[in-house]
Amino acid sequence: MKASTGPTSAPSRSRKKDRLPVRWFLLFWVVIIALFVYAAYEYSQRLQEQTLATLRTQTETQMADLRADYEKQFAQLNQQVAALQGKVDSFNELLTFTKDNANNKTDNSNKLYTQLNEVKSQLSELQKKMDLLK
């Protein structure tokens, strides 16, 4: 004997109706979570682009400063070389004059040669520095 307490299909329909709002609710939360993940990704990309742009401008500024400093040092070395070249030329003229006018009793040419060698060594040092800056 089977005792029937009621229709068996009625509880399954109510369960399906109860599950329908739960499915929509879960779908809603999945969509919301997906939107938040997408928004976080886009925000991080935008921040990365802004950071890279800032770094690029800072780097360009620093490179311009370095370039200006390099050119300034190079100009100063050129001026020093020109000044030393002028000294060398004047010493050469003085040495030539002294050689022409020197008699056998005086030996001032040794002093001039010493000074000329010192100036030449300074000139060669400055030339090496210029080569390093190039």
Side-chain angles (χ1 to χ4, degrees):
M1 292 205 272
K2 281 188 172 180
S4 172
T5 57
T8 58
S9 64
S12 65
R13 280 190 183 172
S14 67
R15 285 184 187 165
K16 284 184 182 179
K17 286 183 182 179
D18 289 341
R19 288 185 185 174
L20 190 60
V22 171
R23 285 184 185 169
W24 281 107
F25 181 75
L26 289 176
L27 180 65
F28 173 76
W29 276 108
V30 167
V31 169
I32 292 294
I33 290 171
L35 286 174
F36 278 122
V37 168
Y38 177 75
Y41 174 77
E42 287 296 318
Y43 181 71
S44 67
Q45 290 299 319
R46 186 176 302 151
L47 282 179
Q48 184 179 10
E49 289 173 6
Q50 288 175 352
T51 304
L52 288 175
T54 303
L55 284 175
R56 189 176 301 117
T57 56
Q58 288 176 354
T59 303
E60 289 172 357
T61 303
Q62 289 175 351
M63 290 298 290
D65 291 344
L66 285 174
R67 189 177 301 118
D69 187 42
Y70 169 78
E71 289 173 358
K72 179 182 171 186
Q73 288 179 357
F74 192 72
Q76 288 175 349
L77 284 176
N78 280 336
Q79 290 174 352
Q80 290 177 356
V81 166
L84 283 177
Q85 187 63 42
K87 286 182 182 180
V88 168
D89 291 341
S90 66
F91 279 136
N92 279 336
E93 289 175 7
L94 184 60
L95 183 61
T96 303
F97 177 75
T98 306
K99 277 186 176 180
D100 291 343
N101 292 330
N103 55 19
N104 293 337
K105 295 180 183 176
T106 60
D107 195 15
N108 290 334
S109 62
N110 285 339
K111 292 179 185 177
L112 291 175
Y113 278 122
T114 305
Q115 290 176 349
L116 182 61
N117 285 334
E118 289 175 7
V119 170
K120 282 185 179 181
S121 66
Q122 289 177 355
L123 183 61
S124 65
E125 287 177 24
L126 282 175
Q127 189 66 35
K128 289 177 185 176
K129 288 182 182 177
M130 282 184 56
D131 290 340
L132 287 176
L133 283 176
K134 287 182 184 178

